[in-house]
Amino acid sequence: MVGPRRPQFVLFGSSIVQMSFNVGGWGAVFADLYARKADVMLRGYSGWNSRMALQVLDKVFPKDEPVQPSLVILYFGGNDSTNPHPSGLGSHVPLPEFIENMRKMITHIKSLSDETRIICLSSPPVNEARIRELFGYALDEQARTNEGCRIYSEKLVELCKEMDVEAINLWTAIQERDDWANSCFLDGMHFSAEGSKTVVKEILKVLKRVDWEPSLYWLKMPSEFPENSPYYVVSPDGKTTYNVTGHICSWQREWLDI
């Protein structure tokens, strides 16, 4: 652990989370926006379903830690929603069990601290044609379908409403873009840079809208070490320096108007 201690934002989920720190990925963009404000911690596990997540929940989020996360962004469901394999193996989890698993995860995370906030991401849609193009018939018996993702997504959103937890319906949000099937995915399942932009936008909209205290919206959080310094770049007047603490980089400006 290095200091000073910042608020911790934990991204917990399957490959949608693990791959989010790729170049242009939603986790990488999110971490960039919160530089000097929060530590964005990646806890992504490709291939996992909600059953596997429950097995390690106490290890990822131990209750006895002196510092608990300020924000947890939770994603499972895409693997759970795949068709059941005839062998009984594979990532499929029946819908009632998936919802119960998510209920247990949300309950555990909420119990960590009165100030631990949660945002659940639902299953995004998939480009079934692109998946078939890349993987052939290999996944037919455990296919991930757009309809299956819709069902699991909607039920998760219902659960979050019941538990008073913020939810983002990615199945709906991604499809608001006309060319979503080709532009938003690398392989029909995992987000491209364009798809990641939608994820970031939806998360920021939530963080800006909610009345959490303290605010976790990036433009309202204080930066670390905000003091002026004579060692910064000298201003045009030749007498003062330019404090870059609150500087918004050119590539961050698209996130100013959410």
Side-chain angles (χ1 to χ4, degrees):
M1 179 67 188
V2 296
R5 185 170 287 164
R6 302 173 179 175
Q8 294 181 359
F9 292 179
V10 182
L11 316 182
F12 180 46
S14 55
S15 55
I16 291 290
V17 173
Q18 179 174 320
M19 296 173 65
S20 72
F21 270 30
N22 288 354
V23 176
W26 66 269
V29 174
F30 195 67
D32 176 61
L33 293 176
Y34 281 87
R36 294 180 69 162
K37 298 184 178 185
D39 285 330
V40 180
M41 306 174 68
L42 186 65
R43 295 295 182 271
Y45 304 92
S46 288
W48 280 31
N49 59 19
S50 60
R51 285 177 183 166
M52 300 172 75
L54 276 179
Q55 294 174 6
V56 302
L57 193 61
D58 289 321
K59 296 179 180 179
V60 178
F61 300 105
K63 288 189 174 184
D64 58 354
E65 284 295 315
V67 178
Q68 295 292 353
S70 297
L71 175 66
V72 176
I73 297 179
L74 179 63
Y75 169 77
F76 287 98
N79 294 322
D80 298 67
S81 70
T82 55
N83 291 338
H85 192 272
S87 67
L89 302 173
S91 62
H92 171 75
V93 173
L95 182 59
E97 182 187 344
F98 166 70
I99 293 301
E100 187 59 28
N101 290 346
M102 296 303 295
R103 184 189 303 276
K104 290 176 181 178
M105 279 190 265
I106 291 169
T107 299
H108 178 87
I109 294 168
K110 289 178 74 172
S111 73
L112 298 175
S113 163
D114 290 339
E115 293 189 349
T116 297
R117 315 299 186 181
I118 307 173
I119 298 175
C120 285
L121 306 179
S122 80
S123 303
V126 293
N127 181 339
E128 295 179 31
R130 179 62 173 161
I131 294 172
R132 170 62 66 81
E133 178 185 342
L134 290 177
F135 297 98
Y137 296 92
L139 301 179
D140 276 10
E141 289 186 320
Q142 47 193 321
R144 183 176 307 194
T145 67
N146 216 20
E147 178 63 9
C149 290
R150 178 191 67 79
I151 293 170
Y152 278 63
S153 178
E154 291 179 355
K155 288 297 182 181
L156 177 61
V157 172
E158 290 178 11
L159 173 68
C160 290
K161 289 181 179 178
E162 174 192 330
M163 300 187 72
D164 194 26
V165 168
E166 294 294 328
I168 295 173
N169 189 331
L170 288 180
W171 194 87
T172 299
I174 292 295
Q175 294 186 85
E176 289 178 355
R177 179 168 176 160
D178 290 339
D179 62 344
W180 67 270
N182 294 317
S183 65
C184 290
F185 299 103
L186 297 169
D187 54 5
M189 294 180 284
H190 300 103
F191 291 124
S192 64
E194 288 301 311
S196 287
K197 286 183 179 181
T198 297
V199 181
V200 174
K201 180 180 178 180
E202 295 300 318
I203 293 173
L204 292 180
K205 283 164 62 175
V206 170
L207 293 174
K208 184 178 181 179
R209 171 179 53 80
V210 295
D211 58 355
W212 293 337
E213 291 293 340
S215 175
L216 301 181
Y217 183 52
W218 72 294
L219 292 175
K220 292 185 178 180
M221 292 182 68
S223 292
E224 194 171 85
F225 299 129
E227 301 84 5
N228 290 322
S229 171
Y231 303 114
Y232 281 133
V233 173
V234 179
S235 299
D237 62 13
K239 299 178 181 179
T240 60
T241 55
Y242 177 65
N243 189 331
V244 299
T245 301
H247 177 68
I248 305 296
C249 298
S250 58
W251 58 87
Q252 297 173 327
R253 291 174 186 168
E254 67 177 295
W255 308 108
L256 291 176
D257 186 20
I258 296 296

